Amino acid sequence: MAVNFDQVLKAFVLSAEQFVKTPANDRNRQQLERKISAIIKTVQPPDSDLDELVSAVSRTNAVVLAESLAYLLKVISIPTKKPGLHLCTLDAILVLVRNDTVRDKLLDSFNAVQCLVSYIGGLTHQPSDGGGGLPHDEITSSSSVLVKCLEVTQFITYGSRLTYPDPVTDKLLNFTIQEILEGKNSRVSTLCVGILANICRKNVSVQGHIKGMEVSGRLQRLLLGYLSSDNMTKIICSVSVITSLYLTDEYGSKLFNAENISQTFQFMFNVLISGVDIITVNIAADLFTDLAANDKIQNYLLVYEHVRECFTQTLLILTKDEDKRVAKVLTLFNAFCQNSGLAKIIARCVFECGEGEGDVTTATMETEQEEGTRSPFQLIKFWAEKPPGETSTHAVNLLHNVYQIVVDTGSFVTVDLINMY
């Protein structure tokens, strides 16, 4: 599997070299599109394990992986009258960037954000120097290239802290805010809210700049209006931006008051449980983590009527064999465990099986195993037993946290900790 991917990347690099030399040659362009399509086919889930493929190539031929990433960014910087090539290239980047190694290389080694921002500028402004982008008639006929580029940008910027003040970050901020304010294209504005959520989170410099802009009040009102959207991604990203910018302000106090917070909690749990897509789940989990760090909101969550039911339902999604999503959920629950009251609720969810009250015993666990069902405890244990890595580490930490509650309290649950294994 790794050898095949290695060969696919080598073939792409050779084809890209030819295209860069003579980009106007249709035969070279068509050949390059085929090689890029081969990359996508090779790494596309569920038939392939992207992390395994990238890990193997990184060990055996890191140079060809680096060259491939560099050429993918180079290809979209070359003007073309055929948008299919850029769409295909962005598709490949979008698939590959789901791997952390690829994402880190694109960010740290190849200035991917700068490349994408320049490309967006070429798409939307068409500079007279002819650098980047597509002919204007191609853009006005379809926004698919811009949408695809914004999808890549959202993945690239997730979890990264962009420098500010910085001209590249400034251009990206200005573009996303302008698109949100204009709202001409719902898909574009949704992606821009997602990118803005990424840029704002835990970046005080960016937050201060936005709050000082003349359009800040208008942006605030638009984000509030998005909360009534039927698009879960747009809602959760809007709440994330509002939290980053206004949580400690009077505006945030009104939004996250006792009257509104229950509805917000329910919506966030729904996002985690339904799993719209990995980026939306990630933003929802991060948002929950940020809100739970606020003492007042912790207290609201403690008395939330459906908190135990929601915790249990969220833990049960660990049945899904999606490593990154599972890791995010486990990280969130470990964050919840920092509050002793929430930790006790989580421990009950983990150890108390079914809807009935009472103690969990070894016999109960054995019955579940025979019937083929799994409790939250068994699901966490399943991931804890995986090979060493991010997900297994989070699972072990969560088991440690809930066991600690059992040891410290010992009053609500009786568990044979040895025989359960």
Side-chain angles (χ1 to χ4, degrees):
M1 194 161 56
V3 174
N4 291 339
F5 189 40
D6 181 88
Q7 294 302 317
V8 168
L9 292 180
K10 285 180 179 178
F12 162 71
V13 169
L14 291 173
S15 183
E17 288 175 347
Q18 292 301 313
F19 172 77
V20 169
K21 291 176 183 176
T22 55
N25 186 299
D26 282 345
R27 181 177 296 178
N28 287 346
R29 175 185 55 77
Q30 292 167 2
Q31 175 76 357
L32 181 59
E33 285 187 24
R34 287 194 290 271
K35 299 304 179 185
I36 295 173
S37 295
I39 292 176
I40 297 171
K41 183 178 180 180
T42 302
V43 302
Q44 190 75 46
D47 298 327
S48 300
D49 186 326
L50 174 61
D51 291 341
E52 183 180 328
L53 289 170
V54 172
S55 178
V57 172
S58 297
R59 290 193 304 269
T60 60
N61 198 342
V63 173
V64 76
L65 176 62
E67 288 179 335
S68 298
L69 298 178
Y71 270 119
L72 285 171
L73 293 176
K74 179 67 175 176
V75 168
I76 63 171
S77 73
I78 298 176
T80 174
K81 294 182 179 180
K82 302 293 184 180
L85 175 60
H86 285 182
L87 274 172
C88 185
T89 305
L90 289 166
D91 272 330
I93 298 173
L94 188 59
V95 173
L96 291 170
V97 81
R98 286 166 167 76
N99 173 265
D100 293 337
T101 299
V102 168
R103 183 177 164 280
D104 290 344
K105 284 182 179 294
L106 287 171
L107 274 170
D108 301 334
S109 302
F110 300 111
N111 298 318
V113 174
Q114 181 176 350
C115 177
L116 291 167
V117 169
S118 297
Y119 186 67
I120 291 169
L123 288 174
T124 55
H125 299 300
Q126 296 301 308
S128 58
D129 61 8
L134 300 170
H136 188 266
D137 58 344
E138 298 287 357
I139 295 303
T140 54
S141 65
S142 173
S143 63
S144 56
V145 180
L146 177 60
V147 167
K148 190 66 65 177
C149 184
L150 292 174
E151 287 177 350
V152 173
T153 304
Q154 186 177 16
F155 261 95
I156 287 282
T157 56
Y158 173 74
S160 62
R161 191 178 185 280
L162 301 187
T163 302
Y164 196 83
D166 176 82
V168 174
T169 306
D170 209 41
K171 287 180 181 178
L172 185 56
L173 274 175
N174 289 338
F175 172 79
T176 54
I177 292 173
Q178 187 63 35
E179 287 296 324
I180 293 169
L181 293 176
E182 291 182 358
K184 295 178 180 178
N185 183 310
S186 178
R187 179 64 178 139
V188 169
S189 63
T190 298
L191 288 165
C192 285
V193 176
I195 294 168
L196 189 60
N198 293 343
I199 302 173
C200 285
R201 186 171 184 253
K202 295 186 176 181
N203 196 322
V204 177
S205 298
V206 169
Q207 293 167 13
H209 171 72
I210 295 174
K211 291 168 74 172
M213 295 175 70
E214 289 185 7
V215 297
S216 178
R218 186 178 165 205
L219 176 65
Q220 186 183 93
R221 291 189 294 273
L222 274 172
L223 291 171
L224 183 60
Y226 284 163
L227 302 186
S228 60
S229 167
D230 58 359
N231 185 313
M232 294 180 76
T233 299
K234 179 173 279 190
I235 296 172
I236 206 69
C237 291
S238 297
V239 177
S240 177
V241 176
I242 291 170
T243 301
S244 293
L245 296 178
Y246 311 113
L247 178 61
T248 58
D249 295 354
E250 181 182 354
Y251 178 77
S253 298
K254 291 179 180 178
L255 182 62
F256 298 109
N257 61 22
E259 182 180 346
N260 297 322
I261 198 67
S262 293
Q263 185 178 356
T264 303
F265 286 152
Q266 188 61 61
F267 176 76
M268 291 164 65
F269 278 119
N270 287 344
V271 172
L272 291 173
I273 294 165
S274 64
V276 183
D277 56 64
I278 186 61
I279 194 71
T280 305
V281 168
N282 285 349
I283 291 174
D286 290 340
L287 174 59
F288 235 142
T289 302
D290 294 344
L291 288 174
N294 182 284
D295 291 340
K296 184 177 71 172
I297 293 178
Q298 282 182 11
N299 292 332
Y300 286 149
L301 188 56
L302 276 168
V303 299
Y304 173 51
E305 180 182 5
H306 305 293
V307 64
R308 186 172 166 184
E309 177 187 354
C310 289
F311 276 172
T312 300
Q313 289 180 359
T314 306
L315 285 169
L316 289 175
I317 70 170
L318 300 181
T319 53
K320 297 181 181 296
D321 192 19
E322 300 170 14
D323 192 78
K324 285 183 169 59
R325 183 181 175 196
V326 168
K328 204 68 185 178
V329 171
L330 291 169
T331 302
L332 174 61
F333 275 88
N334 279 316
F336 284 150
C337 283
Q338 300 308 304
N339 179 285
S340 60
L342 293 176
K344 289 178 182 179
I345 298 172
I346 292 169
R348 284 186 177 276
C349 296
V350 170
F351 290 121
E352 292 185 2
C353 308
E355 297 181 356
E357 296 295 330
D359 296 340
V360 174
T361 65
T362 303
T364 308
M365 299 297 293
E366 290 175 348
T367 299
E368 285 193 343
Q369 291 170 348
E370 291 171 1
E371 292 176 353
T373 59
R374 283 180 168 179
S375 68
F377 171 82
Q378 288 176 310
L379 292 169
I380 299 168
K381 177 174 172 283
F382 168 79
W383 289 102
E385 292 173 340
K386 288 281 190 177
E390 181 186 13
T391 307
S392 59
T393 299
H394 292 316
V396 169
N397 288 340
L398 184 53
L399 287 176
H400 169 80
N401 286 329
V402 295
Y403 279 159
Q404 192 64 54
I405 290 295
V406 172
V407 171
D408 289 346
T409 62
S411 57
F412 65 85
V413 63
T414 302
V415 185
D416 186 338
L417 300 182
I418 302 299
N419 290 332
M420 284 179 78
Y421 282 92

PDB file of all heavy atoms in Angstrom, residues 15-40:
ATOM      1  N   SER A  15       5.048  14.637 -13.637  1.00  0.00           N
ATOM      2  CA  SER A  15       4.053  15.305 -14.487  1.00  0.00           C
ATOM      3  C   SER A  15       3.964  16.787 -14.150  1.00  0.00           C
ATOM      4  O   SER A  15       3.843  17.636 -15.050  1.00  0.00           O
ATOM      5  CB  SER A  15       2.690  14.637 -14.308  1.00  0.00           C
ATOM      6  OG  SER A  15       1.731  15.218 -15.156  1.00  0.00           O
ATOM      7  N   ALA A  16       4.038  17.118 -12.871  1.00  0.00           N
ATOM      8  CA  ALA A  16       3.962  18.518 -12.449  1.00  0.00           C
ATOM      9  C   ALA A  16       5.161  19.308 -12.958  1.00  0.00           C
ATOM     10  O   ALA A  16       5.029  20.477 -13.347  1.00  0.00           O
ATOM     11  CB  ALA A  16       3.882  18.597 -10.928  1.00  0.00           C
ATOM     12  N   GLU A  17       6.326  18.680 -12.968  1.00  0.00           N
ATOM     13  CA  GLU A  17       7.526  19.342 -13.494  1.00  0.00           C
ATOM     14  C   GLU A  17       7.339  19.736 -14.948  1.00  0.00           C
ATOM     15  O   GLU A  17       7.702  20.840 -15.368  1.00  0.00           O
ATOM     16  CB  GLU A  17       8.735  18.421 -13.342  1.00  0.00           C
ATOM     17  CG  GLU A  17       9.221  18.262 -11.912  1.00  0.00           C
ATOM     18  CD  GLU A  17      10.345  17.236 -11.791  1.00  0.00           C
ATOM     19  OE1 GLU A  17      10.566  16.486 -12.772  1.00  0.00           O
ATOM     20  OE2 GLU A  17      10.987  17.182 -10.732  1.00  0.00           O
ATOM     21  N   GLN A  18       6.756  18.840 -15.716  1.00  0.00           N
ATOM     22  CA  GLN A  18       6.506  19.128 -17.134  1.00  0.00           C
ATOM     23  C   GLN A  18       5.471  20.229 -17.300  1.00  0.00           C
ATOM     24  O   GLN A  18       5.611  21.116 -18.149  1.00  0.00           O
ATOM     25  CB  GLN A  18       6.044  17.850 -17.846  1.00  0.00           C
ATOM     26  CG  GLN A  18       7.106  16.778 -17.965  1.00  0.00           C
ATOM     27  CD  GLN A  18       8.321  17.268 -18.721  1.00  0.00           C
ATOM     28  OE1 GLN A  18       8.210  17.885 -19.798  1.00  0.00           O
ATOM     29  NE2 GLN A  18       9.502  17.018 -18.173  1.00  0.00           N
ATOM     30  N   PHE A  19       4.435  20.191 -16.500  1.00  0.00           N
ATOM     31  CA  PHE A  19       3.384  21.198 -16.605  1.00  0.00           C
ATOM     32  C   PHE A  19       3.913  22.588 -16.259  1.00  0.00           C
ATOM     33  O   PHE A  19       3.605  23.572 -16.939  1.00  0.00           O
ATOM     34  CB  PHE A  19       2.221  20.850 -15.678  1.00  0.00           C
ATOM     35  CG  PHE A  19       1.178  21.929 -15.592  1.00  0.00           C
ATOM     36  CD1 PHE A  19       0.252  22.117 -16.609  1.00  0.00           C
ATOM     37  CD2 PHE A  19       1.141  22.792 -14.499  1.00  0.00           C
ATOM     38  CE1 PHE A  19      -0.698  23.127 -16.545  1.00  0.00           C
ATOM     39  CE2 PHE A  19       0.195  23.802 -14.421  1.00  0.00           C
ATOM     40  CZ  PHE A  19      -0.729  23.971 -15.441  1.00  0.00           C
ATOM     41  N   VAL A  20       4.712  22.688 -15.215  1.00  0.00           N
ATOM     42  CA  VAL A  20       5.250  23.981 -14.791  1.00  0.00           C
ATOM     43  C   VAL A  20       6.121  24.596 -15.893  1.00  0.00           C
ATOM     44  O   VAL A  20       6.119  25.815 -16.087  1.00  0.00           O
ATOM     45  CB  VAL A  20       6.057  23.823 -13.480  1.00  0.00           C
ATOM     46  CG1 VAL A  20       6.852  25.090 -13.166  1.00  0.00           C
ATOM     47  CG2 VAL A  20       5.126  23.486 -12.331  1.00  0.00           C
ATOM     48  N   LYS A  21       6.835  23.738 -16.626  1.00  0.00           N
ATOM     49  CA  LYS A  21       7.685  24.238 -17.708  1.00  0.00           C
ATOM     50  C   LYS A  21       6.854  24.762 -18.877  1.00  0.00           C
ATOM     51  O   LYS A  21       7.186  25.780 -19.489  1.00  0.00           O
ATOM     52  CB  LYS A  21       8.606  23.119 -18.200  1.00  0.00           C
ATOM     53  CG  LYS A  21       9.682  22.715 -17.190  1.00  0.00           C
ATOM     54  CD  LYS A  21      10.485  21.539 -17.716  1.00  0.00           C
ATOM     55  CE  LYS A  21      11.514  21.063 -16.702  1.00  0.00           C
ATOM     56  NZ  LYS A  21      12.252  19.855 -17.167  1.00  0.00           N
ATOM     57  N   THR A  22       5.761  24.052 -19.202  1.00  0.00           N
ATOM     58  CA  THR A  22       4.918  24.449 -20.350  1.00  0.00           C
ATOM     59  C   THR A  22       3.451  24.372 -19.954  1.00  0.00           C
ATOM     60  O   THR A  22       2.722  23.470 -20.404  1.00  0.00           O
ATOM     61  CB  THR A  22       5.190  23.534 -21.559  1.00  0.00           C
ATOM     62  OG1 THR A  22       4.999  22.170 -21.144  1.00  0.00           O
ATOM     63  CG2 THR A  22       6.591  23.730 -22.098  1.00  0.00           C
ATOM     64  N   PRO A  23       2.955  25.303 -19.124  1.00  0.00           N
ATOM     65  CA  PRO A  23       1.573  25.235 -18.630  1.00  0.00           C
ATOM     66  C   PRO A  23       0.511  25.399 -19.711  1.00  0.00           C
ATOM     67  O   PRO A  23      -0.640  25.018 -19.498  1.00  0.00           O
ATOM     68  CB  PRO A  23       1.514  26.380 -17.613  1.00  0.00           C
ATOM     69  CG  PRO A  23       2.610  27.307 -18.003  1.00  0.00           C
ATOM     70  CD  PRO A  23       3.695  26.443 -18.557  1.00  0.00           C
ATOM     71  N   ALA A  24       0.879  25.951 -20.843  1.00  0.00           N
ATOM     72  CA  ALA A  24      -0.103  26.149 -21.908  1.00  0.00           C
ATOM     73  C   ALA A  24      -0.327  24.885 -22.735  1.00  0.00           C
ATOM     74  O   ALA A  24      -1.252  24.827 -23.555  1.00  0.00           O
ATOM     75  CB  ALA A  24       0.348  27.292 -22.826  1.00  0.00           C
ATOM     76  N   ASN A  25       0.483  23.879 -22.523  1.00  0.00           N
ATOM     77  CA  ASN A  25       0.385  22.640 -23.283  1.00  0.00           C
ATOM     78  C   ASN A  25      -0.780  21.799 -22.749  1.00  0.00           C
ATOM     79  O   ASN A  25      -0.760  21.341 -21.606  1.00  0.00           O
ATOM     80  CB  ASN A  25       1.711  21.862 -23.171  1.00  0.00           C
ATOM     81  CG  ASN A  25       1.738  20.633 -24.052  1.00  0.00           C
ATOM     82  OD1 ASN A  25       0.923  19.732 -23.890  1.00  0.00           O
ATOM     83  ND2 ASN A  25       2.686  20.597 -24.981  1.00  0.00           N
ATOM     84  N   ASP A  26      -1.800  21.589 -23.575  1.00  0.00           N
ATOM     85  CA  ASP A  26      -2.994  20.866 -23.144  1.00  0.00           C
ATOM     86  C   ASP A  26      -2.684  19.421 -22.755  1.00  0.00           C
ATOM     87  O   ASP A  26      -3.287  18.871 -21.825  1.00  0.00           O
ATOM     88  CB  ASP A  26      -4.054  20.876 -24.248  1.00  0.00           C
ATOM     89  CG  ASP A  26      -4.794  22.195 -24.308  1.00  0.00           C
ATOM     90  OD1 ASP A  26      -4.694  22.969 -23.340  1.00  0.00           O
ATOM     91  OD2 ASP A  26      -5.465  22.462 -25.325  1.00  0.00           O
ATOM     92  N   ARG A  27      -1.764  18.799 -23.496  1.00  0.00           N
ATOM     93  CA  ARG A  27      -1.431  17.410 -23.190  1.00  0.00           C
ATOM     94  C   ARG A  27      -0.810  17.298 -21.797  1.00  0.00           C
ATOM     95  O   ARG A  27      -1.155  16.401 -21.030  1.00  0.00           O
ATOM     96  CB  ARG A  27      -0.461  16.863 -24.244  1.00  0.00           C
ATOM     97  CG  ARG A  27      -0.078  15.411 -24.002  1.00  0.00           C
ATOM     98  CD  ARG A  27       0.826  14.875 -25.085  1.00  0.00           C
ATOM     99  NE  ARG A  27       0.147  14.859 -26.377  1.00  0.00           N
ATOM    100  CZ  ARG A  27       0.728  14.469 -27.519  1.00  0.00           C
ATOM    101  NH1 ARG A  27       2.001  14.088 -27.501  1.00  0.00           N
ATOM    102  NH2 ARG A  27       0.053  14.471 -28.641  1.00  0.00           N
ATOM    103  N   ASN A  28       0.072  18.229 -21.470  1.00  0.00           N
ATOM    104  CA  ASN A  28       0.684  18.228 -20.137  1.00  0.00           C
ATOM    105  C   ASN A  28      -0.358  18.465 -19.036  1.00  0.00           C
ATOM    106  O   ASN A  28      -0.315  17.858 -17.966  1.00  0.00           O
ATOM    107  CB  ASN A  28       1.775  19.292 -20.044  1.00  0.00           C
ATOM    108  CG  ASN A  28       3.028  18.905 -20.806  1.00  0.00           C
ATOM    109  OD1 ASN A  28       3.195  17.746 -21.193  1.00  0.00           O
ATOM    110  ND2 ASN A  28       3.908  19.872 -21.043  1.00  0.00           N
ATOM    111  N   ARG A  29      -1.300  19.372 -19.330  1.00  0.00           N
ATOM    112  CA  ARG A  29      -2.348  19.668 -18.346  1.00  0.00           C
ATOM    113  C   ARG A  29      -3.230  18.444 -18.116  1.00  0.00           C
ATOM    114  O   ARG A  29      -3.542  18.097 -16.972  1.00  0.00           O
ATOM    115  CB  ARG A  29      -3.202  20.851 -18.822  1.00  0.00           C
ATOM    116  CG  ARG A  29      -4.395  21.152 -17.910  1.00  0.00           C
ATOM    117  CD  ARG A  29      -5.268  22.248 -18.494  1.00  0.00           C
ATOM    118  NE  ARG A  29      -5.708  21.949 -19.833  1.00  0.00           N
ATOM    119  CZ  ARG A  29      -6.684  21.097 -20.147  1.00  0.00           C
ATOM    120  NH1 ARG A  29      -7.313  20.428 -19.188  1.00  0.00           N
ATOM    121  NH2 ARG A  29      -7.030  20.909 -21.401  1.00  0.00           N
ATOM    122  N   GLN A  30      -3.635  17.793 -19.190  1.00  0.00           N
ATOM    123  CA  GLN A  30      -4.494  16.615 -19.065  1.00  0.00           C
ATOM    124  C   GLN A  30      -3.774  15.473 -18.330  1.00  0.00           C
ATOM    125  O   GLN A  30      -4.370  14.771 -17.506  1.00  0.00           O
ATOM    126  CB  GLN A  30      -4.944  16.158 -20.452  1.00  0.00           C
ATOM    127  CG  GLN A  30      -5.896  17.136 -21.120  1.00  0.00           C
ATOM    128  CD  GLN A  30      -6.098  16.846 -22.598  1.00  0.00           C
ATOM    129  OE1 GLN A  30      -5.542  15.878 -23.142  1.00  0.00           O
ATOM    130  NE2 GLN A  30      -6.880  17.679 -23.271  1.00  0.00           N
ATOM    131  N   GLN A  31      -2.494  15.316 -18.654  1.00  0.00           N
ATOM    132  CA  GLN A  31      -1.707  14.288 -17.976  1.00  0.00           C
ATOM    133  C   GLN A  31      -1.610  14.589 -16.476  1.00  0.00           C
ATOM    134  O   GLN A  31      -1.739  13.691 -15.632  1.00  0.00           O
ATOM    135  CB  GLN A  31      -0.294  14.235 -18.586  1.00  0.00           C
ATOM    136  CG  GLN A  31       0.670  13.283 -17.899  1.00  0.00           C
ATOM    137  CD  GLN A  31       0.406  11.833 -18.239  1.00  0.00           C
ATOM    138  OE1 GLN A  31      -0.552  11.517 -18.952  1.00  0.00           O
ATOM    139  NE2 GLN A  31       1.231  10.933 -17.714  1.00  0.00           N
ATOM    140  N   LEU A  32      -1.423  15.870 -16.133  1.00  0.00           N
ATOM    141  CA  LEU A  32      -1.323  16.262 -14.729  1.00  0.00           C
ATOM    142  C   LEU A  32      -2.637  16.013 -14.001  1.00  0.00           C
ATOM    143  O   LEU A  32      -2.640  15.544 -12.858  1.00  0.00           O
ATOM    144  CB  LEU A  32      -0.935  17.740 -14.632  1.00  0.00           C
ATOM    145  CG  LEU A  32      -0.776  18.297 -13.213  1.00  0.00           C
ATOM    146  CD1 LEU A  32       0.294  17.531 -12.449  1.00  0.00           C
ATOM    147  CD2 LEU A  32      -0.438  19.787 -13.254  1.00  0.00           C
ATOM    148  N   GLU A  33      -3.755  16.325 -14.641  1.00  0.00           N
ATOM    149  CA  GLU A  33      -5.058  16.070 -14.021  1.00  0.00           C
ATOM    150  C   GLU A  33      -5.231  14.588 -13.699  1.00  0.00           C
ATOM    151  O   GLU A  33      -5.767  14.225 -12.644  1.00  0.00           O
ATOM    152  CB  GLU A  33      -6.183  16.549 -14.944  1.00  0.00           C
ATOM    153  CG  GLU A  33      -6.357  18.056 -14.985  1.00  0.00           C
ATOM    154  CD  GLU A  33      -7.587  18.468 -15.775  1.00  0.00           C
ATOM    155  OE1 GLU A  33      -8.518  17.651 -15.893  1.00  0.00           O
ATOM    156  OE2 GLU A  33      -7.617  19.605 -16.278  1.00  0.00           O
ATOM    157  N   ARG A  34      -4.769  13.732 -14.590  1.00  0.00           N
ATOM    158  CA  ARG A  34      -4.882  12.292 -14.349  1.00  0.00           C
ATOM    159  C   ARG A  34      -4.023  11.869 -13.158  1.00  0.00           C
ATOM    160  O   ARG A  34      -4.447  11.038 -12.332  1.00  0.00           O
ATOM    161  CB  ARG A  34      -4.475  11.504 -15.605  1.00  0.00           C
ATOM    162  CG  ARG A  34      -5.503  11.558 -16.726  1.00  0.00           C
ATOM    163  CD  ARG A  34      -5.225  10.512 -17.789  1.00  0.00           C
ATOM    164  NE  ARG A  34      -4.022  10.829 -18.553  1.00  0.00           N
ATOM    165  CZ  ARG A  34      -4.003  11.572 -19.663  1.00  0.00           C
ATOM    166  NH1 ARG A  34      -5.138  12.082 -20.138  1.00  0.00           N
ATOM    167  NH2 ARG A  34      -2.884  11.790 -20.306  1.00  0.00           N
ATOM    168  N   LYS A  35      -2.840  12.435 -13.053  1.00  0.00           N
ATOM    169  CA  LYS A  35      -1.952  12.084 -11.939  1.00  0.00           C
ATOM    170  C   LYS A  35      -2.510  12.587 -10.602  1.00  0.00           C
ATOM    171  O   LYS A  35      -2.384  11.910  -9.569  1.00  0.00           O
ATOM    172  CB  LYS A  35      -0.553  12.668 -12.160  1.00  0.00           C
ATOM    173  CG  LYS A  35       0.144  12.161 -13.431  1.00  0.00           C
ATOM    174  CD  LYS A  35       0.228  10.649 -13.461  1.00  0.00           C
ATOM    175  CE  LYS A  35       0.909  10.160 -14.738  1.00  0.00           C
ATOM    176  NZ  LYS A  35       0.904   8.674 -14.841  1.00  0.00           N
ATOM    177  N   ILE A  36      -3.134  13.766 -10.620  1.00  0.00           N
ATOM    178  CA  ILE A  36      -3.749  14.292  -9.395  1.00  0.00           C
ATOM    179  C   ILE A  36      -4.952  13.440  -9.014  1.00  0.00           C
ATOM    180  O   ILE A  36      -5.161  13.133  -7.828  1.00  0.00           O
ATOM    181  CB  ILE A  36      -4.156  15.771  -9.586  1.00  0.00           C
ATOM    182  CG1 ILE A  36      -2.919  16.639  -9.801  1.00  0.00           C
ATOM    183  CG2 ILE A  36      -4.942  16.268  -8.369  1.00  0.00           C
ATOM    184  CD1 ILE A  36      -3.230  18.087 -10.175  1.00  0.00           C
ATOM    185  N   SER A  37      -5.728  13.036  -9.994  1.00  0.00           N
ATOM    186  CA  SER A  37      -6.882  12.156  -9.730  1.00  0.00           C
ATOM    187  C   SER A  37      -6.418  10.829  -9.125  1.00  0.00           C
ATOM    188  O   SER A  37      -7.100  10.245  -8.274  1.00  0.00           O
ATOM    189  CB  SER A  37      -7.662  11.902 -11.014  1.00  0.00           C
ATOM    190  OG  SER A  37      -8.231  13.104 -11.500  1.00  0.00           O
ATOM    191  N   ALA A  38      -5.252  10.355  -9.562  1.00  0.00           N
ATOM    192  CA  ALA A  38      -4.703   9.105  -9.022  1.00  0.00           C
ATOM    193  C   ALA A  38      -4.350   9.269  -7.536  1.00  0.00           C
ATOM    194  O   ALA A  38      -4.537   8.335  -6.742  1.00  0.00           O
ATOM    195  CB  ALA A  38      -3.465   8.690  -9.814  1.00  0.00           C
ATOM    196  N   ILE A  39      -3.848  10.435  -7.152  1.00  0.00           N
ATOM    197  CA  ILE A  39      -3.552  10.701  -5.740  1.00  0.00           C
ATOM    198  C   ILE A  39      -4.840  10.617  -4.932  1.00  0.00           C
ATOM    199  O   ILE A  39      -4.896   9.969  -3.880  1.00  0.00           O
ATOM    200  CB  ILE A  39      -2.896  12.087  -5.562  1.00  0.00           C
ATOM    201  CG1 ILE A  39      -1.506  12.120  -6.178  1.00  0.00           C
ATOM    202  CG2 ILE A  39      -2.826  12.458  -4.079  1.00  0.00           C
ATOM    203  CD1 ILE A  39      -0.838  13.483  -6.114  1.00  0.00           C
ATOM    204  N   ILE A  40      -5.870  11.298  -5.421  1.00  0.00           N
ATOM    205  CA  ILE A  40      -7.153  11.314  -4.705  1.00  0.00           C
ATOM    206  C   ILE A  40      -7.699   9.905  -4.560  1.00  0.00           C
ATOM    207  O   ILE A  40      -8.138   9.499  -3.478  1.00  0.00           O
ATOM    208  CB  ILE A  40      -8.162  12.218  -5.441  1.00  0.00           C
ATOM    209  CG1 ILE A  40      -7.678  13.666  -5.474  1.00  0.00           C
ATOM    210  CG2 ILE A  40      -9.543  12.130  -4.785  1.00  0.00           C
ATOM    211  CD1 ILE A  40      -8.510  14.582  -6.355  1.00  0.00           C
TER     212      ILE A  40
END
